[in-house]
Amino acid sequence: MHSRPSRCSRLSRGLTTTVLTAALALSLPPGANAQCVGEGGGSVGGGTPSDGNTPGAGGGIPSLPDAPTTSPSLPAPRTGNGGGSRPAGPTTGPVSPSGPRGRGRGQPECGITSGGQALIVSEESWSRWWNRHQDEFVWGRERNRRAAPSVVVSGSGTRALQQGANSGQRPLRRGYVYTQVVGPLLEVIQSDADPALRESAILALGEAVDDRFAAVVTDTLLPCLADDDLRIRSAAALGLGLAGDPSALPALTDLAYCSNSGHKLVGGGEVSQRVRTAALLGLGYSGAPEAMPTLNLILEALPDSSFEMKRAAIMALGLMQNERAPQAAAQLAGLLADRTLNNTIKAAVPTALARLGQVESVATLRDALNDRDTDRLVRQSCVIALGQLGSLAEPDLVHDLIDLALDDRDEATRNFATMALARLGAQPGDRQELAAEHAALTKAFSKQLKRPTNRNDRPFFALASGLYLQGNPGASPELLARLVAAYDDVSNPSVKGAYALALGLSGDRSAGRELRKDFSDLNDPVFRAHCALALGLLGYAEADTDLREAVTAKGQELFLTRSLGTALMLLDDPRATAALVDGFTNARSYEHRAGLAQALSAQRHEEVVPALRAAVTDDKLDGLSRASACSALGWVVGRNQLPWRAQLSVGSNFVAASPTVDDLLGMP
């Protein structure tokens, strides 16, 4: 049964006209009156009681009555002339824009029990790793083939997103963004009855707006916290954090504490575990230093049986890339040393430390890794974190990771150690000073590509070799030759994709011809998706016609269409947008239209907005198509270099997964 948009609609429907008026004002010349909307909203009372705790939470979840007002000196809501800036979120850290509920349907599972303990890592775990990290390679500054979008100021003072010097497309003017994108998203949130569609619109709105307009999101989403549908309440809490309006922090705090005010916000009754988890993540995404006391208190007050919320609080601490990062790192180091802390919870600590970027944490991580009593899930996360924070100039660390990659009994530890080594080897530095470390690393990779000790590990060694070669172009012809030979040696298409991606990462354009041929000759959709991305990463423009024709083909899987659109973006194909818009407008099946919406989102310029906007507002279209168009709009105009999910997916331990967190973030 669809949820009615009752409270959310009644309390915020009147905002739309005022919002669009304010949006138009943003594109006026300097000196024009740009009046802000609303003051941020307060508690919402009445409504239907929220549900209780979700199953699998591990017993009752205590609330903290009359929780303290978290931020004694919260900044006032921003006004229309810009207000203060909030700390930038981490630049590294989920998954290309995956559309609504993009939780990896059809992807191999790496199972966990209800208690969160990992089971056997599947043969296709490499694809799971790639799905969580591909944004880093597609959109990351150091790896993207064209400049990432950045905010610029034109001669008239209008703020815009500029697409990079090689793109011939028009920049995304912020006034245009708000009149053409924010309005339709608000209308869906306030008026539509489809919860999946409204959920996508809420998250897209949080991703799209910047500081000048975040208060409007607060006014719109606060009433949605009392919606009848749990998914809408959860999305609203997450969206409030994504938008980053300081005036929303007290509401997120009350939800996390499940205080009396939090009860009122959800319309009466307890705040569900899912909403509390979303609120904690929202506090992290806000990047606000004022969120630290709440996160710390949650970690101290909740029992380990509430492992989802405690893990969410730890992950949020890892997003505190602001002046309180050293304090957050110290708090996390204390949790890592706590021998009484549940290991499922503790496994989130090392990767959170890595996101903070405090290199002083390397010693703490190595101590935990070398402790014989450390649980294997925690060891896995320590290995991942050391790849993020360590250095090839630490020979003991390099040799320890090589030993783990080759000989550890735990498959995931071996695989994560392999990728950690690749990260260390790809770092810039003086190769002559580190010649011994480079030689040890390339020797290990070459040997495992030729005769792997554990055959299931070979795709990881391929990806690691590609990443290493990307950071060291031309430095190891032997390793490149081994990688090419390994690609030719593999016939299983579900594994061959790893080798194709590795060649794409390597930058060896001579591989483009064979990749292009295999893309055309092999019919496996998963391989073709990976092969298309490889061609894009190589910048192999000779394949642009093949990719352009394939992207609009009917009857293909959504994930393949999305990958084809991303590959065309990487090739900077000037004819791609027109082909995608035409295909999207004339698509007959909902899955094809949804895939093309996600392909359009990769283009990130003004020309794709009208078609997506028309789909969002067309109530005759199916919900999946409209929801995909909402998600696409959010990413097209998103203010960050990486999709918001990527801040927590990159560098994550998918073996020690959190079901509620993964579902909220749409992680595969």
Side-chain angles (χ1 to χ4, degrees):
M1 180 181 294
H2 288 319
S3 165
R4 68 185 193 279
S6 54
R7 289 195 60 78
C8 188
S9 293
R10 292 199 302 268
L11 293 173
S12 57
R13 189 185 300 277
L15 283 172
T16 304
T17 303
T18 312
V19 164
L20 292 179
T21 302
L24 286 166
L26 286 176
S27 55
L28 294 176
N33 183 21
Q35 190 170 4
C36 183
V37 181
E39 290 298 321
S43 298
V44 179
T48 59
S50 71
D51 53 71
N53 303 326
T54 58
I61 301 172
S63 55
L64 307 176
D66 298 317
T69 323
T70 52
S71 316
S73 56
L74 283 176
R78 282 177 289 281
T79 58
N81 59 2
S85 61
R86 61 191 173 100
T91 56
T92 60
V95 223
S96 54
S98 56
R101 315 308 308 148
R103 195 175 178 269
R105 293 184 177 90
Q107 298 297 331
E109 288 298 324
C110 204
I112 58 173
T113 68
S114 60
Q117 289 295 324
L119 300 178
I120 297 173
V121 180
S122 72
E123 184 177 333
E124 288 80 21
S125 59
W126 73 265
S127 65
R128 187 139 186 174
W129 182 92
W130 174 259
N131 288 337
R132 291 193 173 212
H133 289 80
Q134 62 177 312
D135 286 328
E136 179 183 12
F137 307 112
V138 170
W139 300 107
R141 179 181 294 109
E142 71 280 11
R143 296 178 174 90
N144 199 354
R145 291 195 166 273
R146 60 183 185 183
S150 58
V151 178
V152 298
V153 181
S154 67
S156 64
T158 303
R159 302 177 82 221
L161 278 174
Q162 180 65 53
Q163 280 296 333
N166 295 330
S167 175
Q169 311 296 343
R170 291 197 299 272
L172 284 160
R173 296 162 285 142
R174 298 314 291 177
Y176 176 88
V177 167
Y178 293 128
T179 55
Q180 300 300 310
V181 175
V182 172
L185 294 176
L186 287 173
E187 184 64 25
V188 166
I189 294 167
Q190 296 162 8
S191 304
D192 207 276
D194 184 340
L197 173 57
R198 294 171 63 217
E199 179 186 32
S200 294
I202 287 169
L203 297 175
L205 188 65
E207 182 170 42
V209 300
D210 59 20
D211 289 353
R212 301 180 71 190
F213 222 63
V216 175
V217 179
T218 302
D219 290 337
T220 303
L221 297 189
L222 278 175
C224 294
L225 294 172
D227 194 86
D228 298 335
D229 193 283
L230 176 61
R231 289 166 63 178
I232 301 303
R233 297 198 298 278
S234 305
L238 196 51
L240 286 168
L242 290 171
D245 182 10
S247 68
L249 293 179
L252 292 174
T253 297
D254 285 327
L255 292 173
Y257 283 153
C258 194
S259 66
N260 292 335
S261 295
H263 295 176
K264 294 178 182 178
L265 284 168
V266 298
E270 284 194 358
V271 184
S272 73
Q273 179 214 2
R274 182 183 176 90
V275 174
R276 294 178 73 181
T277 302
L280 289 165
L281 293 173
L283 287 169
Y285 275 116
S286 75
E290 297 85 358
M292 279 275 293
T294 300
L295 301 175
N296 290 337
L297 185 55
I298 286 290
L299 288 168
E300 293 171 4
L302 290 182
D304 285 2
S305 58
S306 301
F307 75 91
E308 290 276 16
M309 283 187 289
K310 294 192 78 166
R311 281 176 62 93
I314 289 168
M315 296 167 77
L317 279 176
L319 297 177
M320 292 288 106
Q321 290 196 343
N322 50 51
E323 63 267 25
R324 295 205 180 177
Q327 294 97 306
Q331 170 82 352
L332 291 169
L335 292 172
L336 190 58
D338 184 355
R339 293 184 179 272
T340 66
L341 184 64
N342 178 280
N343 287 318
T344 303
I345 298 170
K346 190 184 291 189
V349 172
T351 51
L353 272 171
R355 292 188 184 99
L356 289 172
Q358 303 288 303
V359 295
E360 297 82 4
S361 301
V362 168
T364 301
L365 292 166
R366 293 195 66 186
D367 287 344
L369 178 63
N370 294 325
D371 188 334
R372 298 177 64 178
D373 294 329
T374 299
D375 178 79
R376 67 187 182 90
L377 292 179
V378 181
R379 292 181 77 241
Q380 293 166 6
S381 296
C382 286
V383 167
I384 294 170
L386 286 168
Q388 302 278 353
L389 291 179
S391 167
L392 207 64
E394 302 170 79
D396 290 343
L397 172 60
V398 174
H399 291 294
D400 285 350
L401 289 174
I402 290 176
D403 289 343
L404 291 171
L406 298 180
D407 299 324
D408 199 86
R409 287 184 293 180
D410 179 59
E411 181 179 329
T413 301
R414 294 196 306 270
N415 295 337
F416 293 149
T418 300
M419 300 313 300
L421 284 167
R423 289 186 180 279
L424 298 184
Q427 292 173 356
D430 189 331
R431 285 187 56 85
Q432 289 186 334
E433 290 185 5
L434 302 172
E437 287 72 25
H438 279 284
L441 192 152
T442 55
K443 179 181 178 181
F445 286 3
S446 295
K447 181 179 179 180
Q448 293 301 310
L449 283 175
K450 187 176 182 179
R451 292 189 182 88
T453 306
N454 298 279
R455 191 158 188 83
N456 285 349
D457 297 347
R458 199 181 184 204
F460 277 94
F461 279 104
L463 287 168
S465 298
L467 178 54
Y468 175 85
L469 290 167
Q470 184 182 67
N472 301 275
S476 182
E478 179 186 355
L479 180 59
L480 178 59
R482 286 283 172 85
L483 180 59
V484 172
Y487 175 80
D488 293 335
D489 181 54
V490 175
S491 58
N492 182 350
S494 67
V495 179
K496 197 176 183 72
Y499 299 84
L501 290 166
L503 289 172
L505 290 170
S506 76
D508 177 34
R509 278 184 50 83
S510 66
R513 183 175 180 178
E514 185 173 3
L515 288 171
R516 180 186 180 187
K517 182 179 184 301
D518 288 346
F519 172 79
S520 299
D521 292 348
L522 298 180
N523 293 323
D524 184 86
V526 176
F527 170 78
R528 297 186 79 219
H530 292 142
C531 192
L533 287 174
L535 289 164
L537 289 166
L538 281 178
Y540 196 73
E542 293 88 337
D544 59 359
T545 301
D546 300 344
L547 299 176
R548 200 166 53 249
E549 290 175 354
V551 77
T552 55
K554 299 177 181 178
Q556 66 189 4
E557 285 80 353
L558 186 151
F559 66 84
L560 174 56
T561 305
R562 179 175 69 239
S563 296
L564 288 164
T566 303
L568 288 167
M569 176 278 298
L570 289 167
L571 293 178
D572 211 9
D573 180 8
R575 294 166 290 181
T577 299
L580 288 169
V581 169
D582 180 68
F584 177 77
T585 304
N586 296 302
R588 296 298 179 210
S589 74
Y590 70 88
E591 188 169 18
H592 190 208
R593 190 180 297 109
L596 286 168
Q598 294 177 30
L600 278 170
S601 72
Q603 309 310 306
R604 300 200 81 186
H605 50 69
E606 239 175 64
E607 278 74 6
V608 307
V609 171
L612 293 172
R613 182 180 187 274
V616 169
T617 57
D618 186 354
D619 58 11
K620 295 180 181 178
L621 278 182
D622 60 276
L624 177 62
S625 296
R626 296 179 69 197
S628 294
C630 285
S631 298
L633 275 178
W635 175 233
V636 166
V637 303
R639 63 188 181 276
N640 295 320
Q641 182 186 359
L642 294 176
W644 62 271
R645 294 177 176 91
Q647 295 183 30
L648 288 175
S649 70
V650 173
S652 63
N653 182 354
F654 61 78
V655 181
S658 298
T660 299
V661 171
D662 284 5
D663 190 57
L664 283 167
L665 302 181
M667 284 194 187

